Amino acid sequence: MPKEAETINHPYWPRNLSIPNYVANDRSMSEILVFLFSVSGILLLATWSLTGRKVAGSRLSGGRRLALCWFTVCGFIHGVIEGWFSLYYTIIPEDQSFLSQLWKEYSKGDSRYAIADNFTVSMETVTACLWGPFSIWIVLAFLYNHSYRFVLQLIVSLGQLYGAVLYFFTEHRDGYIHSEYGHPIYFWFYFVFMNILWIVIPLILIADSWCQLSTCQSMFDKAAQKGKSKRS
């Protein structure tokens, strides 16, 4: 009996998961979600306003501005929230800092974060170190009309897509044991919805980058062909 009580001192799945140093949150789910979506909303509005100015003599399209809003929020989530996990994953179950409590709340949808699973630690560290700064770089590249802006968008979107596919596929192979399968909030909202965004949106941006870069290459090829014709 003491052993059983020790292994079920937390809200995570599987229920026999051992987290002996776990300390329950003193922040409610609503407080944590309000913080997350409020900061994301402020960043969206600020970026939408910032990108309304003219770039290289013309204004960005609505779709392009939405893409830059996406990358701004990605910079915050990857760099700050996931960056926190990559730094403090060893103490999160017992820590009561706000971002640690955010991760303990999210772990109800994927307990791999509560036990510092090797895959999640590795993936989140790469995401925080690379895709966080690169997301902000993309926003600046578009605002200053740098020639490499679509190359950056393609690199980051491919990285995000790859990480999200691995995230879902590794859990699928585990049989979805790290969440209460089918739970409307913990499984469908936390685990599925909040992560599938990093499959759907990067796919759209990869296609966008493909079209933009292909058009540029086609124009370059035509110009090069005309140059050869004139010389001959």
Side-chain angles (χ1 to χ4, degrees):
M1 287 296 292
K3 184 176 180 181
E4 182 181 354
E6 183 183 347
T7 57
I8 310 179
N9 65 335
H10 57 75
Y12 307 125
W13 290 73
R15 297 303 295 138
N16 61 354
L17 201 63
S18 178
I19 312 177
N21 57 339
Y22 172 76
V23 177
N25 281 354
D26 56 25
R27 301 272 188 175
S28 67
M29 177 181 70
S30 58
E31 286 182 89
I32 292 170
L33 292 181
V34 165
F35 163 79
L36 177 63
F37 290 111
S38 294
V39 173
S40 298
I42 290 170
L43 290 173
L44 284 170
L45 291 174
T47 306
W48 181 263
S49 176
L50 180 64
T51 56
R53 66 182 181 87
K54 288 186 177 181
V55 176
S58 61
R59 296 190 182 278
L60 296 171
S61 68
R64 186 65 56 212
R65 293 171 70 188
L66 285 174
L68 296 184
C69 289
W70 161 256
F71 282 117
T72 300
V73 174
C74 285
F76 164 65
I77 293 176
H78 295 334
V80 177
I81 295 179
E82 292 170 287
W84 181 275
F85 176 81
S86 69
L87 290 173
Y88 301 109
Y89 62 88
T90 57
I91 64 168
I92 280 176
E94 63 197 80
D95 187 46
Q96 291 294 78
S97 300
F98 188 87
L99 289 181
S100 292
Q101 293 197 48
L102 183 151
W103 278 111
K104 284 191 281 185
E105 175 63 28
Y106 176 75
S107 295
K108 294 174 184 176
D110 187 349
S111 64
R112 291 179 292 178
Y113 287 89
I115 60 174
D117 170 81
N118 285 334
F119 169 74
T120 54
V121 171
S122 301
M123 180 194 67
E124 297 296 359
T125 300
V126 170
T127 299
C129 292
L130 292 181
W131 310 143
F134 272 48
S135 292
I136 302 303
W137 190 7
I138 290 170
V139 177
L140 295 174
F142 273 96
L143 288 177
Y144 290 97
N145 206 39
H146 289 308
S147 58
Y148 53 77
R149 58 195 183 274
F150 285 104
V151 176
L152 279 179
Q153 177 175 288
L154 179 62
I155 291 171
V156 173
S157 298
L158 279 170
Q160 291 175 327
L161 176 64
Y162 182 66
V165 169
L166 286 181
Y167 178 75
F168 280 116
F169 192 53
T170 51
E171 181 61 7
H172 172 72
R173 286 184 58 82
D174 283 339
Y176 302 103
I177 63 172
H178 297 103
S179 180
E180 184 178 354
Y181 186 79
H183 192 283
I185 296 176
Y186 302 141
F187 182 79
W188 288 111
F189 184 63
Y190 285 8
F191 177 70
V192 177
F193 175 75
M194 293 182 74
N195 289 286
I196 206 167
L197 292 175
W198 273 270
I199 290 181
V200 175
I201 297 177
L203 276 173
I204 295 171
L205 294 173
I206 288 169
D208 175 49
S209 300
W210 178 289
C211 292
Q212 296 287 344
L213 294 172
S214 296
T215 299
C216 290
Q217 186 64 52
S218 177
M219 292 172 65
F220 178 82
D221 292 343
K222 289 178 180 177
Q225 189 63 38
K226 285 182 179 179
K228 288 180 182 179
S229 299
K230 288 180 180 180
R231 286 195 295 271
S232 62

